[in-house]
Amino acid sequence: MTHEPRVVIALDVSSREQALELARTLRPATDWVKIGLELFTSCGPDMVQELKELDYNVFLDLKLMDIPNTVKKTVSNCMHMGVDMLTLHLLGGEKMITAALEARARQDLKTHSRPILLGVTLLTSLDRSDLPWPESRSLHEVVLDLASRAGKWGLDGVVCSGHEASGIKKSAPEDFCLVTPGIRPGPDLEDQKRAVTPYRAMASGATHLVIGRPVTASVDPLESLMRIRRELSAPF
Ligand code: C5P
């Protein structure tokens, strides 16, 4: 059975005012937003709190990749900020991922959130020509391999493109999150390469769609989001 996925709006802007205006405008149509590197480096951790006050679930997409000790402490700090979802690069390896999971297990949930921890497979802005490893390894194979490690290591899900979601879903645990950026309702891909339509991402089993510019850069962001929602609830 296909479930309607959550829609997560990527607030990729550099000002607090712009982020909050978008968040207020879009709140009738979604309860998830994503803070990425652009917004976090311009507005800092206070942004998490401000978006939580608007009753949003906050996905902090810092795509962590560092030595295990640094990642462990950073995950604790993110939990202290109250984030609901967090990303780590799977290429950071098993020890780094284990350190992140340990940090989550150790925190007091009265003072910290318990975020969904996601592994980033390969960015949706990459294709085969961007990868340094031998031609014999397809990008699809690499993504599936990384996703299966994410499950084995104990993460709650992965970030992948809509092209790989159905392959990952076949061998993933029942409640594994498949979070897909690179969503394009129309033909303009911008810097994304492995893009799919919202409907196709849902049909391939995505649990969360991450959508930025098709909504945030449109003339009428709420109407663009509502159009996507209508596409998602259309019968097969
Ligand atoms: O504007 P657009 O819809 O392309 O935004 C996609 C968002 O998803 C961006 O915030 C980007 O950082 C994020 N993302 C991605 N590919 C990944 C992981 C995250 O595009 N593999």
Side-chain angles (χ1 to χ4, degrees):
M1 197 167 103
T2 304
H3 292 283
E4 200 176 313
R6 314 255 166 175
V7 175
V8 183
I9 297 297
L11 295 175
D12 293 329
V13 292
S14 295
S15 91
R16 172 182 173 273
E17 291 68 31
Q18 241 185 312
L20 290 177
E21 195 193 324
L22 274 168
R24 285 195 194 97
T25 303
L26 297 172
R27 185 62 188 80
T30 188
D31 60 357
W32 274 93
V33 280
K34 182 172 91 74
I35 300 177
L37 294 170
E38 180 182 351
L39 185 58
F40 195 70
T41 51
S42 62
C43 299
D46 290 350
M47 206 64 238
V48 175
Q49 193 48 44
E50 293 201 77
L51 290 166
K52 294 213 62 88
E53 279 162 18
L54 294 177
D55 212 16
Y56 272 109
N57 295 295
V58 176
F59 172 9
L60 186 57
D61 185 21
L62 298 183
K63 300 188 180 73
L64 303 176
M65 178 149 152
D66 209 316
I67 59 168
N69 185 52
T70 302
V71 166
K72 187 189 250 178
K73 290 181 175 156
T74 306
V75 169
S76 299
N77 292 344
C78 292
M79 292 175 69
H80 193 60
M81 282 181 230
V83 308
D84 301 287
M85 194 184 256
L86 189 60
T87 41
L88 307 132
H89 268 291
L90 290 165
L91 291 171
E94 183 173 7
K95 288 198 174 72
M96 186 197 85
I97 300 294
T98 304
L101 289 163
E102 277 172 15
R104 184 176 67 177
R106 275 193 199 156
Q107 292 308 323
D108 178 356
L109 296 181
K110 286 196 202 93
T111 51
H112 292 68
S113 60
R114 187 183 187 283
I116 296 168
L117 294 183
L118 298 174
V120 177
T121 54
L122 293 178
L123 298 175
T124 47
S125 52
L126 304 177
D127 66 12
R128 184 67 197 80
S129 64
D130 297 302
L131 301 183
W133 40 76
E135 286 294 326
S136 55
R137 261 216 93 209
S138 76
L139 185 142
H140 195 80
E141 211 184 335
V142 173
V143 172
L144 262 54
D145 180 359
L146 286 169
S148 95
R149 287 168 201 249
K152 240 183 280 155
W153 295 341
L155 287 173
D156 307 306
V158 291
V159 182
C160 62
S161 85
H163 292 280
E164 297 104 25
S166 58
I168 296 172
K169 193 178 162 67
K170 278 185 207 145
S171 49
E174 179 72 24
D175 53 354
F176 205 59
C177 296
L178 295 171
V179 178
T180 58
I183 303 293
R184 289 294 177 270
D188 185 5
L189 301 191
E190 292 155 303
D191 52 356
Q192 296 287 4
K193 287 184 181 166
R194 299 185 345 268
V196 298
T197 63
Y199 193 83
R200 169 137 188 236
M202 174 175 74
S204 51
T207 57
H208 299 71
L209 311 189
V210 175
I211 309 181
R213 288 161 292 178
V215 168
T216 58
S218 83
V219 182
D220 185 344
L222 182 59
E223 175 47 28
S224 301
L225 176 54
M226 294 303 288
R227 205 175 311 124
I228 289 169
R229 292 225 81 116
R230 286 194 291 275
E231 178 183 338
L232 293 174
S233 46
F236 284 95

